[in-house]
Amino acid sequence: MLSPEDRRAGAEALFRADRDGRTIPQLSHTYPAIELEDAYAIQGLWAEMRIGQGARIVGHKIGLTSRAMQMASKITEPDYGVMFDDMVFSDGAVIAASRFMAPRIEVELAFVLGQPLEGPNVRVHDVLRATDYVTPALEIIAYRTEVPRAITDTIADNAAFGAIVLGGRTIRPMDVDIRWVGATLSKNGIIEESGVSAAVMGHPAAGIAWLANKLAPLGGRLEAGEIVLAGSFTRPVSVAPGDVIHADYGPLGAIATSFS
């Protein structure tokens, strides 16, 4: 367990790395005693610093939703981070790749809440009832620490969240069986990945229920109006300047973005 001083120093290091566009040594190397509780505390302190600079929290992301990724990270549950208003892009956006360190793209669904969700004991049906609409989304993954990373490094690093791109068709959560929303992800005209949303914990709303329950003991909840990224159902695809990305969600439309 880390001291309050070490937690703040870790948060300040990540804040500067994000601001300056550079990577720093892994916090798990700098602070070998770091634990999961410390990592989330560092994430929270970093968020406070961003808010102090004028950023506004617009939602949460959920990561490590697949069993394979959890086993690779040696954990038994997903992780989460926060999303800020300056990290949200729309379909067709041209994004500067230099904003991120070694960015990668994942295919996801975003839930926009119409009602707050507060644990404990939130279930999938509670998430569906509280959701205003679901929309296709791409997550840009970006790390601010060097490799190899421990799970504590990823969590402290805001769960490696870089940005979100929203597009496609919005749907009510009961209009379709969202477990079977499928998508292909193309880079420069070549399909690199494909998947179906049931790969996210059996149901993309399951991760959101997990998050609401996870926040409850900390006195937190998911608020009405929040965007919640449910987790990827494809492997991440690396992107670089000049790349054009297209995600085809079939009946739910498509998202296109490019990197300069």
Side-chain angles (χ1 to χ4, degrees), residues 173-181 197 203:
M174 302 299 186
D175 285 353
V176 301
D177 186 347
I178 58 175
R179 295 175 306 157
W180 298 110
V181 172
S197 60
H203 195 297

Side-chain angles (χ1 to χ4, degrees), residues 58 83 87-93 95 108-112 133-139 163-170 227-229 249 254-257:
V58 295
M83 301 192 297
M87 297 174 163
V88 181
F89 294 91
S90 297
D91 181 27
I95 302 171
E108 311 199 13
L109 290 176
F111 288 62
V112 179
Y133 61 89
V134 179
T135 188
L138 297 176
E139 182 181 358
I164 177 178
V165 185
L166 297 170
R169 172 189 163 205
T170 59
I227 304 167
V228 187
L229 268 177
Y249 286 75
I255 305 173
T257 190

Side-chain angles (χ1 to χ4, degrees), residues 4 7-9 11-12 40-50:
R7 287 179 173 182
R8 179 157 293 277
E12 289 173 347
Y40 278 116
I42 290 169
Q43 181 192 119
L45 289 168
W46 179 20
E48 290 176 7
M49 294 173 190
R50 294 263 4 245

